[in-house]
Amino acid sequence: MSKALFIIDVQNDFTEGGALGVDGGAAVAAGVSRHLAEHGDEYAIVLASRDWHEGHSDNGGHFATEAEPDYVDTWPAHCVAGTRGADYHPDLDTSRVDYHVLKGQGVPAYSIFEGRTDAGSTVHNLLDEHGIDTIDVVGIATDYCVRASALDAIAHGQHVRVLTGLVAGVAPASSDAALAELAHAGAELVTAS
């Protein structure tokens, strides 16, 4: 059995003070770094995703440009490629990350499976190449990109564990609903701090 860690979108724009900052985002960054220091050797591979949106377009309607964002399908500009907002949060130690996955280049993208590495590899191919059958999922935001990534991993036949102490969401109600949905879909919710 080989295990991978998905670190979802622990970026400046999704942490406190960012364009779409969530409460607890910085704590997730620091917590994931502690988790990697203590448990990094348990993972065959570690993958980290980042939104990497185009700054000169609405990214397929993802950025609200004609009206106020609805915070469901349209959002304020965030995580524009090459900006500080798109950078990993400084408390996230990326030295143990094996694959950096960029997503949302010109299109809406929530799941890590919608991205690619700089070398063009898909997440699905990387999981197959490394014989992965179990994935631990951490990151931001519980109710959006963590949810989408975990659901896609389940759909790809993986045993998924969401480390609930290492995720942060946009809102408590939608985050609780996302965790309940993931548990119903077969994910294991694991308390981790």
Side-chain angles (χ1 to χ4, degrees):
M1 180 161 93
S2 290
K3 188 163 59 168
L5 178 67
F6 281 1
I7 303 170
I8 306 299
D9 299 359
V10 182
Q11 297 170 260
N12 289 323
D13 268 350
F14 295 140
T15 57
E16 293 86 349
L20 290 172
V22 302
D23 290 339
V28 165
V32 171
S33 293
R34 282 192 304 276
H35 180 76
L36 278 170
E38 296 168 9
H39 302 284
D41 293 339
E42 297 172 16
Y43 298 105
I45 54 172
V46 176
L47 298 89
S49 68
R50 282 190 288 173
D51 270 9
W52 201 251
H53 296 304
E54 295 175 350
H56 61 277
S57 80
D58 69 358
N59 292 278
H62 191 61
F63 286 1
T65 56
E66 302 299 320
E68 289 298 309
D70 64 15
Y71 296 94
V72 175
D73 296 310
T74 61
W75 306 89
H78 61 277
C79 299
V80 172
T83 67
R84 182 186 175 285
D87 289 344
Y88 292 115
H89 188 278
D91 290 343
L92 178 65
D93 178 3
T94 60
S95 65
R96 301 289 298 259
V97 174
D98 299 297
Y99 298 100
H100 300 273
V101 178
L102 302 179
K103 59 188 179 68
Q105 293 142 307
V107 296
Y110 294 91
S111 171
I112 191 173
F113 285 88
E114 296 175 83
R116 291 185 177 270
T117 66
D118 283 341
S121 295
T122 66
V123 171
H124 188 69
N125 287 343
L126 291 170
L127 298 177
D128 287 348
E129 288 170 16
H130 292 276
I132 302 299
D133 57 13
T134 300
I135 299 172
D136 286 354
V137 182
V138 301
I140 304 168
T142 310
D143 32 358
Y144 289 94
C145 296
V146 168
R147 173 190 167 274
S149 298
L151 286 172
D152 279 354
I154 293 166
H156 281 90
Q158 300 292 323
H159 174 73
V160 173
R161 300 177 350 135
V162 178
L163 307 187
T164 59
L166 297 175
V167 295
V170 172
S174 54
S175 294
D176 290 346
L179 291 174
E181 178 186 6
L182 290 169
H184 182 74
E188 183 181 352
L189 305 183
V190 179
T191 303
S193 57

